Amino acid sequence: NIIRGAILAALLSTTALADTSSMNGSVAGMGILENDYVKAGVNGTSGTFGSGGGTRPGLQYDSTGTGTFPGDSEQGDYLTPGSPFDGFAISIDGTNSKNNNSGSNAWTDADGLTDGDGTLTWTGTNSAHSGWEIENTYSLGTTSEYIDITTGITVGSDTTDLYFGRYIDPDAM
């Protein structure tokens, strides 16, 4: 029984992964993705990184993997302070719309930011495009040095031309 218990404990400890996502207790509607390399804020209103140029974290990276990220008065955040932005744009049959962390939001939050296991998911709708939906899922593995963004588009009507773009304009460090 002791050997079986030790084997089971070893198997459980090797398969357990830390959850790298959480809701930010100090900023309503914002989620945080964090491991020892990356710390990022996900905006629950716009479905983008960051909340304007003044709310940390925006997007931070620690190449040493020690989880040492800059404080509010230090440089070292790609999206704060300043006026950089992150966002996405979609063109549906020639009609363009966009969301960014500076406040231009044609797509509105449908149901709040969903905190999963190592993921934050935002879903948005647009009254000008009935039945259409955009879903951005931000994923961060426990040892990843990057955030994976998966975007799903639910098409609400027939369309001839559909274009989607994702962009970031960081401040120089």
Side-chain angles (χ1 to χ4, degrees):
N1 284 341
I2 293 173
I3 293 174
R4 275 188 278 179
I7 292 171
L8 180 59
L11 287 173
L12 289 175
S13 68
T14 59
T15 58
L17 297 175
D19 183 6
T20 59
S21 63
S22 65
M23 295 307 291
N24 186 346
S26 60
V27 179
M30 185 179 214
I32 303 288
L33 291 170
E34 181 177 3
N35 66 14
D36 288 338
Y37 292 97
V38 179
K39 184 175 184 180
V42 177
N43 188 318
T45 302
S46 63
T48 63
F49 285 124
S51 286
T55 303
R56 289 216 180 174
L59 182 58
Q60 302 174 343
Y61 177 72
D62 174 14
S63 63
T64 65
T66 61
T68 305
F69 300 103
D72 286 343
S73 62
E74 303 172 71
Q75 293 294 319
D77 191 310
Y78 293 97
L79 290 173
T80 60
S83 58
F85 61 89
D86 174 71
F88 61 88
I90 186 169
S91 175
I92 303 168
D93 289 330
T95 301
N96 298 314
S97 57
K98 65 183 176 189
N99 275 29
N100 63 52
N101 67 315
S102 296
S104 177
N105 299 317
W107 294 81
T108 57
D109 174 41
D111 59 359
L113 201 56
T114 303
D115 182 6
D117 187 12
T119 65
L120 294 168
T121 302
W122 175 89
T123 304
T125 59
N126 183 319
S127 60
H129 300 288
S130 181
W132 287 72
E133 192 173 89
I134 294 178
E135 181 180 274
N136 291 329
T137 300
Y138 296 82
S139 303
L140 179 64
T142 55
T143 59
S144 293
E145 293 187 49
Y146 62 89
I147 295 174
D148 182 49
I149 305 169
T150 303
T151 298
I153 300 171
T154 301
V155 178
S157 59
D158 290 341
T159 184
T160 305
D161 295 309
L162 176 66
Y163 299 95
F164 180 83
R166 176 121 196 125
Y167 50 87
I168 188 166
D169 178 17
D171 268 355
M173 303 303 288

